[in-house]
């Protein structure tokens, strides 16, 4: 299974959209697993959640999957409140 890692920004919000979508599109063309390394991400808002949901849909259309790793406490809690762990694997 081929894997690609995308390093997530410190703030993941609307302003991250264009760069994130381009990275997801490129990775989904070539890889079956796309890992989102969240080591430095400490802020996530509703626009960021929307970007993740749309990215997951795009990746699934290519028969691939997203995996989020190294989540800090605040973003992890936000994702759990939004129930994203049901559609995106969080390690």
């Amino acid at each position: 299974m081929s894997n690609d890692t995308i390093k997530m920004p410190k703030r993941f919000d609307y302003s991250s959209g264009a760069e994130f979508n381009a990275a997801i599109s490129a990775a989904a063309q070539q890889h079956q697993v796309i890992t989102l390394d969240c080591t430095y991400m400490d802020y996530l808002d509703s626009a960021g959640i929307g970007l993740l949901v749309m990215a997951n849909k795009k990746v699934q259309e290519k028969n691939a999957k997203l995996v989020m790793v190294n989540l800090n406490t605040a973003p992890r809690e936000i994702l759990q409140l939004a129930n994203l762990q049901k559609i995106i694997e969080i390690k």
Side-chain angles (χ1 to χ4, degrees):
M1 217 190 271
S2 64
N3 191 347
D4 191 20
T5 299
I6 297 172
K7 296 217 181 282
M8 298 297 286
K10 184 175 178 75
R11 292 180 58 86
F12 190 58
D13 55 19
Y14 178 78
S15 66
S16 309
E19 186 176 345
F20 178 71
N21 285 332
I24 288 290
S25 292
Q29 296 297 325
Q30 302 173 20
H31 302 282
Q32 296 170 320
V33 177
I34 302 166
T35 301
L36 304 178
D37 182 353
C38 303
T39 300
Y40 302 107
M41 185 172 72
D42 63 8
Y43 178 82
L44 172 69
D45 67 3
S46 60
I49 291 171
L51 288 168
L52 288 170
V53 170
M54 294 305 294
N56 190 60
K57 183 177 178 184
K58 189 181 298 185
V59 165
Q60 285 182 334
E61 289 171 357
K62 300 289 185 184
N63 294 317
K65 73 174 189 172
L66 287 180
V67 178
M68 299 183 78
V69 298
N70 302 323
L71 274 158
N72 294 315
T73 303
R76 180 181 294 274
E77 288 175 356
I78 290 168
L79 292 172
Q80 288 173 338
L81 286 171
N83 274 328
L84 250 63
Q85 74 275 9
K86 291 184 178 182
I87 63 169
I88 299 174
E89 184 178 346
I90 299 174
K91 292 186 177 181

